Amino acid sequence: MRGDQRSDTHLEGEKYGTPRSYDPHFRGPVVNRSCTDVLCCMIFILFIMAYILLGLAAWVNGDPRRVAYPTDSQGYFCGQKGTPNENKSILFYFNLLTCTSPSVVVNLQCPTTQICVSKCPERFLTYMEIQFKYKNDSEYWTYYSQFCRTTFLKPAETLSQVLLDNDCPSAIYPSKPFLQRCFPDFSTKNGTLTVGNKTVFDDGSGKTRNAAELRRAANGINKALDARAIGVKVFEDYAMTWYWILIGLTIAMFLSWMFVMLLRFTAGLLFWIFTFGVIGIIAYGIWRCYLEYSRLQEQPSSRLNAYTIGIQTDISMYFRLKQTWFALMIILCLLELFIILMLIFLRNRIRISIALLKEGSKAIGYLPSTLIYPALTFFFLSVCISYWAVVALYLATSGAPIYKVIAPQGHCEHENKTCDPVGFNTTEIAKACPGAQCHFAFYGGKSLYHQYITTFQLLNLFVFLWLINFVIALGQCALAGAFASYYWALKKPDDIPPYPLFTAFGRAIRYHTGSLAFGSLILAIIQMFRLILEYLDKRLQEAQSNISKFLKCCLRCCFWCLEKAVKFLNRNAYVMMAIYGKNFCKSARDAFNLLMRNILKIAVMDRVTDFVLILGKILVAGCIGVLAFLLFTERLPVIIEGPTSLNYYWVPLLTVIIGSYIIAHGFFSVYAMCIETIFICFLEDLERNDGSAEKPYYMSQSLMKIMNKRNAETKKQ
């Protein structure tokens, strides 16, 4: 009789391989295993060694001070100790009006002379005014000369000579330091934009300018100055609420743990409440559409239709047609019928999914150490991200100062050519392009190392993606091994091996580093292609035609789908690897065949699990968010006295909500891996065992009851 019993697992996809043959010695994850994908492991280790060498080379050649300190036109740092500019920590622009965009200013590419000063100008003065006022009061020249490139005893040079030699600015304006740079001190007076309480001023060359022109030259910089004030207020709010934020995140951690633990009792209730809620909402929509259709049917305008009114930009016009409500009613009726039929025909698989959710909660209860593992993953990811950022910074600041010819008018055949600032005004370039200047552009060099800086940056990014995916894969494989040890224990929890998570982690590192590197390498390549595609899209955005935009969208969609599919397959391959100890390709093949033989169970299980996890994340973040809102808006003075006089209560509120969601995501990622592992083991259990004394089922009693299965000992009793 038992020989005729066949699980519906076989009927869902026999063409995807055959069920696994029975191994009488199988009692959970294979202990005696060998190293897999050794070649990929060696390549991975070589890449890590090359990555370390790249970091050392970048550390030797790079200089982060080039980012920390602004650089003048000669390539010298402002404010660096041990240099003539030690007490001059602020960068001053001779003529900010020549800067066309804020990005040009911040990147030190503004076509005007830049020098280091100790403080920014505080008043309006022009060079021509100084020449007259100096005769009566030398204090004017003493103040003005600190913004000149060279030291003069008196303003003897003419304005044209000063502008030609770039020795002094033609005019200075009231400014404020921001990001160690002098930017105009903009303000609004009676709704009018002013700089230093003036709306118009002399630019030093005889032209009258207004504050709006100066604002356009430094567009966005004033917003950044406002952002600084906002940043100070935000910092004050964090200083007042940091302990409340920590309390909120601690409560979120406790709620996440409670939600996972209670799922063994509430998983079914949550699912059916949500399902019947959706059915009720759709039923209300059908009833509402019928009422609107009946109301419009009785009105004189009921003869109007879509052909009568034509194409309208006002969408509300279509809701005045009875045909619109009738079509919506038909669509909702079909959707309601589809959901009800799915619930009827898939009810058994839904019961299996709910039972697996409860089993996952029970497994985490027996293996509480798995909930701590996300902290280890976070630590590894933080190390990878920090190393990548430091290497990228040192690579970006490698080399010697490179100077380029910059023409303010933009009409010079020598523009963007390299030059030497020493004696530039006496060269042929200065004669051929009057007004051209030799300014610092970036850091680089002509050595082999400097020629391949871009290649090294790409290598840095690629290895970073590979390491990030490897850390995630290692966590998935370790958790899968721990939960597989739980499932394949015949008598739970007595037969669960000691320290299952530590043992599974050690097996993954010792035997499957190459396989984990192989799977993460595939993902890293796909993600690298996606990033390159995004980069090209940003660089070529203005030169794209409609056809190229369409192809770009298609490529984006294809790579996104490919990445999601590979992540799903990799995750299940790691589960099979943790159980059987095979290499990546064989594990991926076995996982794919097993999933294809149970495609309907997979579809239902994924949807039910996704619903429960999303609901849990929203529930945790929502509860903490409501409590934080009541606390930070002083709505709970009777119960507890929270922080008062906050500048922006939404700053700590958003911090608590986002932090709570991240914490819940960390807990539920472990739970999701638990469910996926138990599900794979459950399918394997159905295929390899039949409930006899020789081949007993390892599934829980609730799953046996749903599947109408029993072990031989239970039958005898």
Side-chain angles (χ1 to χ4, degrees):
M1 184 69 179
R2 184 173 292 126
D4 296 332
Q5 292 178 350
R6 299 182 67 197
S7 169
D8 57 355
T9 298
H10 300 75
L11 302 178
E12 291 181 6
E14 291 188 351
K15 64 180 180 178
Y16 293 101
T18 56
R20 193 178 304 279
S21 59
Y22 176 70
D23 179 7
H25 302 290
F26 181 79
R27 292 293 183 271
V30 176
V31 177
N32 297 322
R33 54 180 76 193
S34 59
C35 296
T36 56
D37 295 308
V38 178
L39 178 61
C40 194
C41 179
M42 295 173 62
I43 295 174
F44 182 60
I45 293 173
L46 288 175
F47 264 85
I48 292 179
M49 293 174 62
Y51 198 29
I52 294 173
L53 292 176
L54 176 62
L56 292 174
W59 180 74
V60 170
N61 292 277
D63 190 352
R65 295 175 302 175
R66 296 164 181 171
V67 176
Y69 299 102
T71 311
D72 64 11
S73 297
Q74 305 300 314
Y76 299 122
F77 299 135
C78 296
Q80 184 183 356
K81 293 182 178 180
T83 66
N85 292 330
E86 181 176 355
N87 298 321
K88 300 178 179 180
S89 59
I90 307 172
L91 192 68
F92 172 72
Y93 300 90
F94 271 23
N95 187 3
L96 198 63
L97 290 167
T98 60
C99 306
T100 57
S101 69
S103 62
V104 170
V105 176
V106 175
N107 291 323
L108 304 178
Q109 297 297 321
C110 185
T112 186
T113 302
Q114 302 146 34
I115 63 171
C116 300
V117 295
S118 57
K119 63 178 182 178
C120 295
E122 299 172 348
R123 46 180 151 167
F124 285 101
L125 279 175
T126 66
Y127 185 80
M128 295 183 68
E129 286 179 330
I130 291 298
Q131 286 184 312
F132 291 106
K133 292 182 178 181
Y134 166 76
K135 299 176 181 179
N136 299 323
D137 188 354
S138 61
E139 182 64 26
Y140 282 98
W141 174 245
T142 303
Y143 178 80
Y144 196 88
S145 62
Q146 63 183 323
F147 304 107
C148 293
R149 192 171 60 174
T150 55
T151 304
F152 300 98
L153 295 177
K154 57 182 181 178
E157 293 185 350
T158 62
L159 176 62
S160 58
Q161 187 64 36
V162 166
L163 295 178
L164 182 63
D165 296 337
N166 293 315
D167 288 328
C168 291
S170 59
I172 57 175
Y173 325 111
S175 305
K176 285 184 177 180
F178 178 64
L179 295 176
Q180 291 183 272
R181 292 163 175 82
C182 292
F183 290 122
D185 183 14
F186 291 113
S187 60
T188 303
K189 186 176 182 180
N190 298 327
T192 304
L193 182 67
T194 64
V195 56
N197 295 324
K198 286 188 178 182
T199 56
V200 295
F201 55 89
D202 188 352
D203 67 354
S205 61
K207 295 181 181 179
T208 301
R209 305 282 189 137
N210 56 48
E213 291 182 79
L214 194 60
R215 179 67 175 269
R216 282 194 297 269
N219 185 29
I221 301 302
N222 194 51
K223 293 180 181 179
L225 290 169
D226 295 339
R228 182 182 61 172
I230 295 174
V232 172
K233 293 180 180 179
V234 168
F235 179 78
E236 292 174 353
D237 290 342
Y238 277 129
M240 293 180 63
T241 60
W242 65 269
Y243 50 92
W244 291 109
I245 293 174
L246 290 180
I247 292 173
L249 297 180
T250 304
I251 297 174
M253 190 180 302
F254 176 76
L255 284 180
S256 301
W257 178 80
M258 286 293 297
F259 187 86
V260 171
M261 292 296 101
L262 293 176
L263 275 177
R264 70 178 72 178
F265 309 109
T266 60
L269 179 65
L270 289 174
F271 176 78
W272 290 115
I273 287 176
F274 174 79
T275 302
F276 287 117
V278 171
I279 292 175
I281 292 172
I282 296 176
Y284 172 77
I286 294 172
W287 176 71
R288 184 70 182 175
C289 290
Y290 175 75
L291 290 181
E292 291 293 330
Y293 175 78
S294 301
R295 183 180 64 82
L296 292 173
Q297 181 74 21
E298 298 172 357
Q299 293 183 0
S301 60
S302 61
R303 295 182 180 180
L304 292 176
N305 53 46
Y307 297 102
T308 306
I309 65 173
I311 299 176
Q312 298 289 331
T313 55
D314 187 3
I315 303 298
S316 62
M317 290 292 296
Y318 294 102
F319 288 99
R320 300 175 186 176
L321 304 177
K322 63 178 183 179
Q323 291 87 351
T324 302
W325 294 102
F326 183 76
L328 289 175
M329 184 174 63
I330 295 298
I331 293 172
L332 291 177
C333 286
L334 292 175
L335 182 60
E336 186 90 330
L337 180 63
F338 174 77
I339 293 175
I340 293 173
L341 290 176
M342 288 297 101
L343 291 175
I344 293 173
F345 288 106
L346 299 177
R347 63 187 184 279
N348 196 46
R349 290 182 173 84
I350 293 174
R351 290 175 63 203
I352 294 173
S353 300
I354 294 174
L356 287 171
L357 289 175
K358 295 179 179 179
E359 192 68 17
S361 177
K362 192 184 299 182
I364 292 179
Y366 287 130
L367 306 175
S369 59
T370 54
L371 292 176
I372 306 175
Y373 192 86
L376 183 62
T377 300
F378 177 78
F379 172 75
F380 287 148
L381 292 178
S382 300
V383 171
C384 293
I385 294 172
S386 301
Y387 187 82
W388 166 77
V390 170
V391 172
L393 176 63
Y394 272 87
L395 284 174
T397 57
S398 295
I402 301 297
Y403 302 91
K404 296 279 188 178
V405 176
I406 296 177
Q409 304 300 326
H411 303 292
C412 178
E413 59 179 344
H414 302 287
E415 191 170 12
N416 290 327
K417 289 184 178 180
T418 56
C419 58
D420 185 358
V422 179
F424 175 76
N425 291 334
T426 61
T427 62
E428 295 296 328
I429 297 178
K431 297 177 181 178
C433 303
Q437 301 169 13
C438 183
H439 282 182
F440 165 77
F442 55 86
Y443 294 98
K446 297 182 180 180
S447 67
L448 187 65
Y449 169 81
H450 296 106
Q451 291 176 4
Y452 287 94
I453 288 293
T454 304
T455 305
F456 292 150
Q457 288 283 22
L458 291 175
L459 177 63
N460 181 32
L461 177 60
F462 176 74
V463 181
F464 165 71
L465 294 175
W466 196 356
L467 287 174
I468 288 292
N469 287 297
F470 177 82
V471 169
I472 296 173
L474 177 61
Q476 292 173 344
C477 190
L479 290 172
F483 292 124
S485 299
Y486 162 82
Y487 184 91
W488 295 109
L490 188 59
K491 295 181 181 179
K492 303 175 178 65
D494 298 334
D495 291 344
I496 299 176
Y499 312 111
L501 180 60
F502 179 79
T503 304
F505 182 82
R507 278 200 302 260
I509 288 290
R510 180 178 178 182
Y511 297 109
H512 304 302
T513 298
S515 298
L516 297 175
F518 191 7
S520 54
L521 173 63
I522 298 172
L523 262 180
I525 293 173
I526 296 172
Q527 291 168 349
M528 194 69 181
F529 273 112
R530 289 190 65 189
L531 290 175
I532 292 174
L533 187 64
E534 292 294 331
Y535 173 77
L536 293 176
D537 176 44
K538 296 296 182 182
R539 292 299 299 267
L540 305 175
Q541 195 166 13
E542 296 181 357
Q544 289 180 353
S545 63
N546 292 331
I547 297 177
S548 62
K549 289 181 180 179
F550 173 75
L551 293 176
K552 175 199 67 179
C553 291
C554 291
L555 287 174
R556 271 182 175 175
C557 181
C558 290
F559 276 109
W560 181 85
C561 293
L562 180 61
E563 183 179 353
K564 293 295 181 182
V566 171
K567 281 184 176 179
F568 176 77
L569 184 60
N570 280 9
R571 198 163 56 246
N572 289 281
Y574 300 146
V575 175
M576 299 297 283
M577 189 188 307
I579 298 174
Y580 295 107
K582 295 184 178 181
N583 63 31
F584 177 79
C585 291
K586 290 182 179 179
S587 299
R589 180 199 62 192
D590 293 342
F592 178 79
N593 289 334
L594 181 64
L595 296 177
M596 289 300 102
R597 292 195 298 268
N598 301 272
I599 189 66
L600 289 179
K601 287 190 182 73
I602 289 292
V604 175
M605 185 69 213
D606 280 350
R607 298 287 72 78
V608 173
T609 304
D610 289 345
F611 154 70
V612 173
L613 296 184
I614 291 173
L615 182 64
K617 294 174 188 177
I618 294 175
L619 187 63
V620 171
C623 290
I624 300 299
V626 170
L627 291 176
F629 175 78
L630 296 176
L631 181 68
F632 295 142
T633 55
E634 302 179 54
R635 308 287 178 91
L636 295 174
V638 179
I639 302 175
I640 186 172
E641 186 177 355
T644 58
S645 303
L646 292 177
N647 296 299
Y648 308 107
Y649 74 86
W650 50 267
V651 172
L653 176 62
L654 286 179
T655 304
V656 170
I657 293 175
I658 295 173
S660 301
Y661 185 87
I662 293 174
I663 289 174
H665 178 75
F667 275 84
F668 296 151
S669 64
V670 174
Y671 183 67
M673 198 65 210
C674 175
I675 296 301
E676 198 146 1
T677 303
I678 291 177
F679 184 54
I680 292 289
C681 294
F682 169 70
L683 298 179
E684 284 283 291
D685 196 9
L686 286 176
E687 290 193 351
R688 67 165 50 249
N689 300 317
D690 59 5
S692 63
E694 297 80 14
K695 297 188 289 183
Y697 290 117
Y698 287 80
M699 67 186 73
S700 64
Q701 293 296 326
S702 58
L703 284 171
M704 286 189 193
K705 185 177 180 181
I706 294 172
M707 299 299 298
N708 196 23
K709 306 287 185 183
R710 286 183 298 173
N711 282 332
E713 295 180 1
T714 306
K715 293 178 183 179
K716 290 178 182 179
Q717 294 175 359

